[in-house]
Amino acid sequence: MKEVIIATKNAGKAKEFEHIFSQYQIAVKSLLDFEAIDDIVEDGQTFEENALIKARSIAKQFNQVVIADDSGLEVDALDGRPGVYSARYAGESRDDQANIHKVLHELEGVPEEKRTARFVCALALVTPEGQECVVRGTCEGQILTQCIGNEGFGYDPIFYLPELEKTMAQIPKSKKNVLSHRADAFMKLKEVLMTFM
């Protein structure tokens, strides 16, 4: 079976990728499968820049095809914040609940129709030979005033999908892996990936 390394230490993201790739007979390893991988400084100004920084670094270390994702939440009423700072929005501890609380606090008093937002995912693919490809996927929605649902991770409990009348945390993984920003990005990357594997 072909194998790709996903440059993440986020267990939730790793599971999503594993599910998506299993349909294509591609085995997935994440950075959680390796010992002593130093944290990579993600100092890019965009999701795309951060994804490339991670992918290049890991491809160089392992001499293997690597896909890195940088993703997060953009809230229109907050001028696109938290954006690239989504994981650490409330501090370096990467506490999902603290991040959610900060977003909800900043949106206090903002009416429903102005709480539009999107999840964004940039996927960067880098080969040991130095070939590179970057794509962006999105998923549009709204930010609720409270958490609903127990599935998913990150901002999923406050991210409402109007067409389903549910939050991202209320839908099963199988459905999320079709609708999500990560799935959207992967579909754009898939054809390129197949030529590299």
Side-chain angles (χ1 to χ4, degrees):
M1 185 181 272
K2 296 167 183 173
E3 183 179 278
V4 65
I5 296 175
I6 306 298
T8 186
K9 290 182 180 179
N10 181 311
K13 284 184 184 181
K15 283 205 175 300
E16 281 188 17
F17 277 113
E18 200 173 302
H19 181 83
I20 292 169
F21 277 85
S22 66
Q23 304 164 57
Y24 303 96
Q25 285 73 55
I26 297 174
V28 168
K29 282 192 174 176
S30 76
L31 300 186
L32 297 170
D33 296 310
F34 302 95
E35 290 181 18
I37 300 285
D38 292 332
D39 283 336
I40 298 162
V41 178
E42 299 170 39
D43 52 4
Q45 299 301 303
T46 66
F47 293 114
E48 286 82 358
E49 287 175 9
N50 282 335
L52 267 174
I53 288 168
K54 287 186 275 191
R56 286 169 178 160
S57 175
I58 300 301
K60 196 173 182 181
Q61 283 185 60
F62 291 94
N63 199 39
Q64 207 168 324
V65 174
V66 172
I67 293 177
D69 123 301
D70 195 48
S71 53
L73 178 69
E74 291 182 343
V75 181
D76 294 323
L78 300 180
D79 299 319
R81 294 192 314 275
V84 294
Y85 305 106
S86 292
R88 302 177 182 87
Y89 198 45
E92 288 300 318
S93 63
R94 296 174 176 240
D95 183 312
D96 288 348
Q97 287 306 312
N99 290 335
I100 286 172
H101 179 76
K102 183 172 181 179
V103 167
L104 293 183
H105 177 72
E106 291 182 341
L107 285 174
E108 277 180 16
V110 176
E112 180 183 327
E113 67 273 11
K114 293 189 176 176
R115 298 173 77 96
T116 52
R118 71 206 45 80
F119 276 130
V120 175
C121 172
L123 287 182
L125 184 150
V126 175
T127 71
E129 298 75 34
Q131 295 166 292
E132 297 182 348
C133 177
V134 186
V135 297
R136 172 180 280 232
T138 59
C139 179
E140 299 289 330
Q142 292 176 297
I143 303 300
L144 298 182
T145 57
Q146 62 182 10
C147 293
I148 301 176
N150 301 307
E151 297 291 326
F153 59 95
Y155 297 93
D156 287 356
I158 57 169
F159 191 84
Y160 182 72
L161 300 159
E163 67 275 18
L164 296 182
E165 298 183 347
K166 291 181 178 179
T167 67
M168 199 68 98
Q170 288 179 290
I171 61 176
K173 286 186 180 72
S174 57
K175 191 147 198 165
K176 180 181 178 183
N177 289 335
V178 173
L179 297 173
S180 77
H181 49 309
R182 228 174 311 284
D184 183 38
F186 177 73
M187 291 310 292
K188 293 172 181 173
L189 188 68
K190 185 177 70 169
E191 286 183 27
V192 179
L193 174 65
M194 295 310 173
T195 66
F196 290 163
M197 297 299 285

